[in-house]
């Protein structure tokens, strides 16, 4: 008998305090629902972008795990996690082999296993107060993401529910409570959907009540009093448990449209150019490849300067190059530095260069954004070092242990060291909030730049070793950050997708993938702070604390009912 099969067996009630419970969904139904939940969540994210399927996926997982033992709930949650993360993170295996992709996908699925177990654990609370189901669902999802975003090695926030809502009305909630509030709203909608579906199913199906003494038999699925259809009463009263949650779901989605977001900043106007230089594909060794990437960005900037000189393009106040646009350290390599100076001098604007810098110690490197001014070159006072390097990609924690799993870790010869200060870069006409690549997924890394004075959010990234799906998922995060902090934003990529994002989340001038393009746009800056910026991490703390309280409350209810945990 498997763990999931054992879930269908219930502990007998204590003679002095009989327990009347309903049964979970049959395993033959619950397991497919768990897989369907993961697939629904997957399709909610870019590049598919069918955002209404996110609450549907939440609802399916909640239904599959309701009333199950902990191990069964964990198993079903794990099925959902694999169905979601294996395809969502498929871009991680394009150049590194299958092992990192498999391990990362299984690790992330493990957090949904914890969510499945937690959902099963709070079932007694749901059965006692059916109206608590939506709120409990929302709280548990926020708690799961808060844990996943931070563990292990600083966490991996990819696949947060909030990042699936870049075209949804719920995106506007980010200005009130950031990504955690958007996740809570999505999961709350899922809880409302499962409340409606569960009541409808239990109302319409034929049932025979369980004998309270535990000696009777049933001809259909057994239910508790909360699920049983009322024997008397008006039709309106009978269907109120369906109509009310459905109406609340519609009201929440429509009401999000009433949340005000800034359409444009209220400060000075600057003209910004994004240079997407593209990368060569074949035929070059490592050093030649790095030089070719730098040359591509220099040449594209020189072409921009020529258009400006001919009156075909506005003079930019700032040019942004992507992450890894100069993998040759321009502070130590005179040829690389001279090429960047040539570009800055010719375009007559400072360039924010994504560079790999050697040091500070032997065998160490830094992933940095450095401001290169025309006439004077590198401005070392305006240099941002990536604060959150990616484990097992930019540095290898526990290298000796990791080598036992795969010797490929030794391909990362030099560990990237993290910076210690937020990416606040002062250009002159604007103060930039610079974050590099995956850092856009971390709430505090972006917020720290805004509280430090950033007027324009800049995401420098290199998608050359990934694919267009990963790039579009990252752009969805930029859209949320723009709304969250009421700032114009941009993403500059080596190969795409690059583009500008307004403070209301609208994308402009998005580039193609694997193309060489330069886009220029006037942006109005902003110094104001949204409620989300002012509150910082407190919405997440409050919601996660309530999730922990719900788990404790479920333990109390279980003890009182003499229901042993699975």
């Amino acid at each position: 008998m498997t763990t999931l099969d054992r879930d269908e067996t219930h502990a007998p009630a204590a003679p002095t305090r009989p327990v009347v419970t309903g049964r979970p969904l049959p395993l033959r139904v619950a397991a497919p629902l768990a897989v369907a939940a993961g697939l629904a969540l997957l399709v909610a994210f870019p590049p598919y972008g069918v955002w209404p399927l996110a609450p549907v996926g939440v609802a399916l997982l909640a239904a599959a795990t309701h009333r199950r033992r902990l191990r069964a709930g964990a198993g079903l949650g794990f099925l959902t996690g694999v169905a979601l993360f294996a395809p969502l993170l498929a871009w991680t295996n394009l150049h590194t082999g299958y092992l990192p992709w498999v391990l990362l996908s299984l690790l992330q699925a493990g957090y949904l296993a914890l969510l499945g177990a937690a959902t099963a654990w709070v079932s007694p609370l749901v059965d006692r107060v059916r109206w608590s189901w939506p709120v409990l669902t929302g709280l548990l999802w926020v708690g799961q993401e808060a844990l996943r975003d931070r563990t292990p090695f600083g966490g991996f926030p990819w696949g947060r529910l909030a990042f699936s809502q870049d075209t949804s009305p719920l995106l506007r909630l980010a200005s009130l409570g950031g990504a955690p509030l958007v996740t809570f709203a999505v999961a709350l909608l899922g809880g409302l959907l499962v409340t409606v579906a569960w009541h409808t199913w239990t109302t319409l199906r034929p049932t025979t009540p369980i004998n309270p003494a535990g000696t009777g038999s049933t001809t259909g699925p057994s239910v508790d009093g909360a699920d049983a259809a009322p024997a008397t009463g008006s039709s309106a009263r009978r269907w109120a448990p369906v109509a009310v949650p459905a109406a609340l779901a519609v009201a929440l989605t429509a009401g999000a449209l009433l949340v005000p977001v800034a359409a444009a900043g209220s400060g000075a106007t600057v003209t910004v150019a994004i240079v997407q230089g593209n990368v060569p594909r074949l035929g070059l060794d490592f050093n030649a490849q790095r030089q070719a990437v730098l040359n591509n960005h220099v040449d594209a900037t020189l072409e921009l300067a020529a258009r400006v000189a001919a009156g075909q393009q506005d003079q930019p106040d700032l040019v942004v190059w992507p992450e890894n646009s100069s993998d040759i350290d321009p502070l130590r390599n005179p040829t690389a530095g001279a090429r960047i100076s040539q570009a800055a001098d010719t375009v007559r604007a400072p360039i924010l260069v994504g560079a790999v810098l050697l040091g500070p110690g032997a065998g160490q490197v830094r992933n940095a954004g450095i401001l290169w001014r025309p006439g004077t070159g590198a401005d070392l006072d305006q240099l941002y070092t990536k604060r959150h390097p990616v484990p097992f990609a930019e540095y290898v924690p526990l290298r000796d242990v990791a080598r036992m799993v795969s010797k490929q870790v030794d391909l990362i010869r030099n560990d990237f060291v993290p910076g210690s200060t937020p990416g606040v870069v002062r250009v002159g006409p604007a103060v930039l909030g610079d974050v590099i690549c995956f850092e856009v997924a971390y709430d505090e890394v972006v917020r720290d730049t805004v509280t430090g004075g950033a007027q324009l959010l800049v995401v420098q990234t290199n998608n050359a070793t990934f694919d267009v799906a990963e790039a579009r998922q990252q752009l969805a995060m930029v859209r949320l950050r723009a709304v969250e902090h009421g700032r114009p934003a941009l993403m500059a990529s080596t190969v795409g997708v690059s583009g500008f994002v307004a403070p209301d989340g609208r994308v402009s001038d998005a580039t193609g993938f694997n193309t060489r393009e330069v886009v220029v746009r006037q942006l109005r800056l902003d110094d104001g702070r949204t409620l989300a910026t002012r509150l910082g991490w407190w919405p997440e703390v409050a919601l996660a604390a309530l999730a922990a309280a719900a788990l404790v409350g479920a333990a109390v209810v279980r003890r009182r009912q003499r229901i042993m945990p699975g």
Side-chain angles (χ1 to χ4, degrees):
M1 183 180 293
T2 66
T3 298
L4 294 179
D5 290 333
R6 286 196 299 269
D7 182 77
E8 306 302 332
T9 304
H10 293 264
T16 59
R17 189 184 178 107
V19 179
V20 181
T21 63
R23 293 191 179 189
L25 294 176
L27 180 60
R28 65 181 181 276
V29 175
L33 281 185
V35 175
L39 296 178
L41 291 169
L42 170 68
V43 177
F45 287 92
Y48 313 104
V50 188
W51 63 265
L53 287 181
V56 172
V58 170
L60 292 174
L61 178 59
T65 55
H66 185 51
R67 294 176 176 161
R68 311 206 89 90
R69 292 184 181 271
L70 297 189
R71 285 172 292 178
L76 291 168
F78 189 76
L79 285 179
T80 298
V82 171
L84 166 62
F85 286 112
L88 185 72
L89 303 178
W91 44 266
T92 61
N93 72 14
L94 296 180
H95 295 275
T96 58
Y98 287 100
L99 185 60
W101 165 57
V102 170
L103 293 178
L104 181 60
S105 299
L106 294 178
L107 175 63
Q108 300 307 299
Y111 288 92
L112 287 196
L114 292 176
L115 175 64
T119 305
W121 178 258
V122 300
S123 296
L125 284 179
V126 172
D127 286 333
R128 176 167 288 197
V129 185
R130 183 55 50 85
W131 296 103
S132 67
W133 207 349
V135 175
L136 289 173
T137 302
L139 294 176
L140 293 180
W141 270 93
V142 173
Q144 174 266 140
E145 288 189 357
L147 183 65
R148 188 166 66 86
D149 297 351
R150 293 168 174 82
T151 59
F153 309 117
F156 187 69
W158 218 270
R160 296 169 74 178
L161 288 182
F163 296 152
S164 69
Q165 301 298 296
D166 59 317
T167 58
S168 162
L170 299 179
L171 181 70
R172 303 170 77 92
L173 297 176
S175 67
L176 303 179
L181 183 60
V182 178
T183 284
F184 177 76
V186 175
L188 181 69
L189 280 178
L192 290 168
L193 291 178
V194 73
T195 302
V196 170
W198 194 277
H199 182 82
T200 302
W201 177 66
T202 55
T203 299
L204 295 180
R205 66 179 180 165
T207 62
T208 301
I210 296 177
N211 186 321
T215 59
S217 61
T218 64
T219 57
S222 59
V223 296
D224 60 10
D227 283 342
T232 60
S234 66
S235 177
R237 183 177 179 181
R238 176 186 179 93
W239 288 102
V242 171
V244 173
L248 288 175
V250 173
L252 174 61
T253 306
L257 293 171
L258 302 178
V259 176
V261 293
S266 57
T269 299
V270 296
T271 301
V272 181
I274 301 173
V275 174
Q276 178 179 299
N278 208 3
V279 301
R281 291 290 160 199
L282 298 171
L284 299 176
D285 63 24
F286 180 70
N287 289 327
Q289 178 94 6
R290 293 188 302 169
Q291 185 64 56
V293 172
L294 174 58
N295 289 339
N296 282 358
H297 287 85
V298 170
D299 293 343
T301 305
L302 295 178
E303 293 168 4
L304 168 64
R307 292 196 299 273
V308 171
Q312 300 170 350
Q313 183 68 66
D314 292 337
Q315 170 65 47
D317 299 302
L318 168 69
V319 177
V320 179
W321 287 5
E323 176 191 27
N324 300 129
S325 48
S326 180
D327 273 356
I328 304 171
D329 185 348
L331 302 181
R332 301 195 182 208
N333 186 298
T335 301
R339 290 242 64 192
I340 298 172
S341 292
Q342 177 191 9
D345 294 346
T346 305
V347 79
R348 295 181 293 122
I351 301 174
L352 183 64
V353 178
V356 174
L357 306 179
L358 301 179
Q364 294 179 329
V365 290
R366 291 169 288 163
N367 192 346
I370 181 171
L371 195 66
W372 211 276
R373 297 187 185 273
T376 57
D379 185 344
L380 298 183
D381 292 329
Q382 305 303 321
L383 185 154
Y384 168 61
T385 299
K386 187 175 183 179
R387 296 167 64 193
H388 204 301
V390 180
F392 304 104
E394 293 179 313
Y395 76 102
V396 181
L398 307 174
R399 186 180 287 267
D400 291 339
V401 176
R403 189 179 292 115
M404 297 177 186
V405 179
S406 173
K407 296 189 180 301
Q408 287 187 337
V409 298
D410 289 328
L411 295 176
I412 305 171
R413 293 188 296 271
N414 298 323
D415 284 336
F416 282 80
V417 295
S420 58
T421 57
V424 179
V425 179
R426 304 181 189 279
V427 176
V431 181
L432 310 181
D434 187 23
V435 297
I436 297 176
C437 200
F438 289 3
E439 288 188 318
V440 70
Y442 296 89
D443 298 344
E444 70 282 357
V445 175
V446 181
R447 180 179 178 271
D448 285 350
T449 69
V450 178
T451 57
Q455 302 165 306
L456 168 64
L457 300 179
V458 174
V459 179
Q460 296 177 286
T461 187
N462 176 18
N463 309 112
T465 55
F466 303 131
D467 60 17
V468 68
E470 184 271 347
R472 295 199 177 278
Q473 290 162 18
Q474 200 168 25
L475 184 61
M477 301 177 196
V478 180
R479 298 179 72 173
L480 183 140
R481 299 307 181 193
V483 174
E484 179 181 15
H485 298 294
R487 292 289 188 273
L490 64 87
M491 186 164 96
S493 170
T494 48
V495 299
V497 175
S498 304
F500 296 97
V501 180
D504 61 1
R506 289 175 299 142
V507 178
S508 303
D509 302 312
T511 64
F513 197 72
N514 286 340
T515 59
R516 177 164 142 181
E517 298 187 48
V518 176
V519 290
V520 182
R521 191 169 187 84
Q522 282 192 339
L523 303 175
R524 187 171 291 277
L525 306 177
D526 204 320
D527 292 303
R529 293 191 179 183
T530 64
L531 180 61
T533 305
R534 292 195 294 270
L535 291 176
W537 70 335
W538 287 111
E540 184 179 45
V541 169
L543 292 170
L546 288 173
L551 296 175
V552 174
V556 173
V557 172
R558 282 173 170 267
R559 182 169 183 175
R560 287 178 178 175
Q561 292 183 340
R562 299 175 183 266
I563 297 179
M564 299 300 293

